[in-house]
Amino acid sequence: MININNISLSFADRKIFDGITWLIPEKSRIGLVGDNGTGKTTLLRAIMRMVDLDQGTIEIPNRRNRTIGYLPQDLIELEPLPLIDYLRIKSGLAEIEQALKNDEKRMSLCDPSSDEYLTILKNYEIAAARLQAREGYRFAAKAKQILSGFGFREMDFSRNCTEFSGGWKMRILIALILLSDPDIMLLDEPTNHLDTESMEWLERYLKDYPGTILTIAHDRVFLDKIVNQIAELSNHRLTVYKGNYSYYLAEKERRLEALKKQMALQRAEIKKTQEFIERFRFKATKAKQVQSRLKMLERFEIVELEKGEKRVHIRFPEAPKSGREVVAVRQISKNYGDLNVFRAIDVTIQRGEKIALVGVNGAGKSTLARILSETEEPSSGQVQYGLNVSLAFYSQESAQNLDYRRSVWDEVRLTGTRSNDQERRNLLGAFLFSGDDVYKEISVLSGGEKSRLALLKILLQDSNLLILDEPTNHLDLKTKDIFQNALLSYTGTVVIVSHDRFFLDRLVHRVIEIRDGRSHEYLGNYSYFIQKRGEMAQSGADDIATLRAENGPQIGTADLLSGKKSFKTRETKRLEAEERNRLSRITRDLKNELATLEDRIARLETRKAENETVLCAPDIHREPHKIKQLNNELADLARELEPLYAAWDRTTAEMEIVLQTAKGPP
């Protein structure tokens, strides 16, 4: 439980919170939303005691014995340690394991009948219980399961943390939180650095998480799947909606309409009352009634709409029409040294198309975007542009092209465009630069503000081909909607890389997936792509048993879905029936395999529990040799259990995929 009691906070003359009171029960799953600058991140930091409040308190009962996993929005540097070692140390497991080793060594040097021995033994029992509660004996299997879910490969587990890029470091931090299994998770933009596959894996993992989740996210699909309450920060206050994000949007609109009706009725009543007073003010026979109406007016609590920002609409400057064929990509490949990113890519882009480039991290989406934008050359092949193509390219590095000596306004004003000053100011407001913010020097802006300004400059250019690489990363939900609507009405051609599923689903009508170095096209929106990917998984599931027979039991479902085999769609009813029968057989085989694994695990865990019970016996300290023998047996059991846990995790994941495909595509 988190008890937020009457908190207020201001930064200089800017008010953030004004008397917010909020009780968050245990096991709550809450999405924290609001415009940029309303204090969402500040509230999480206040719960973590990283911000001093002007007034009020935030209390977590029994806080000393509660664990909190906090994911900050900004990257923090990781220690120069191998990945698995970093997770073991930061999760607190290494400390417990070292305490057990130290106690074992000290007990071996003590007289079993001494008080010192009893004290050490008690500490040892406490540490062993903590290790058991944290599932320390299956740490390696669980760590590998989580890291694999976030796209890490086996070879990455031993890499030094400092070798990873910023996005992968954020994944390490999320993995650490999941491994620590805290009582409370405070997640500030957990989806920012995840590709779609990793997001879907995280959503499945968090579905069964038993603790409290309070998350800030700008991904609608994530919020709809993970939370069952939305808390909106607006005008220094907080309003709670009992439902997911889609419910929140509908309910907020319903409340607004109800408030408008109430306000209209109240104004009509006030007007009627005032007319009565004016009409009979000077009639002695109506004096009492007039006085009664006056008192009634005084008692009215005036209903008013909350102060809100005007709805902003932006549009792109009109640009000359390009030729029908905008870009023709012919047999291009890209290598970085010995690393082949993709090969033999053939793509033709027509005027007016809105296309998404998708794929797992590292597949080559951004590389292809850079090649299309002429900022990078292919290793082989050709890229040809059509008649009158005017190109504008946005990437996360675009912020480096700003002139840091200028103000925000000067940078926008000097951008070559047919837009007038009012249109420029409207754009600045839509991208969260309002008031005196437009006169700030670019050098003092945050990384997110610089990225938004760089994107805004792209929108001001007279272009008819937009290539956008992760343009929504630093946009809040409201600004995303404004930007999305502008792109929908844009008459030019759009090629976009984004992991925002809702954003893509409304925008694009063609998806190009980069998978295993090849391009795969889907003529539909993002939901259509997901449906077809599910159908491919369905076909792949049919071949699990065959591939295992051919390649050994270590073959995994991920290998199938990565496209290592060529699959054909079964369209006739007879083949569909065969498909269902095969799925049934695979399910039965996987269930039998799970039963065998669970039986073996249960027997080993029973032996482990028996040994731990003996170690906790009051008189065990009199038998130091037996203690050593039992500890050695526990270590052997842990080593024997680890691969069984890993096999159980893998088989369960395969079972989940087979069951999902049996239900059909989403």
Side-chain angles (χ1 to χ4, degrees), residues 8 48 60 118 128 167 384 424 547 589 648:
S8 295
M48 290 298 297
I60 299 175
L118 291 175
Q384 299 173 334
R424 291 189 182 97
L547 280 179
D589 291 344
W648 186 90

Side-chain angles (χ1 to χ4, degrees), residues 7 97 127 222 252 400 406 421 425 490 615 630-631:
I7 65 169
E97 290 173 336
F222 180 81
K252 184 178 180 181
Q400 298 172 6
R406 293 176 180 165
D421 281 359
R425 288 189 180 277
Y490 177 60
L615 280 171
L630 289 170
N631 281 323

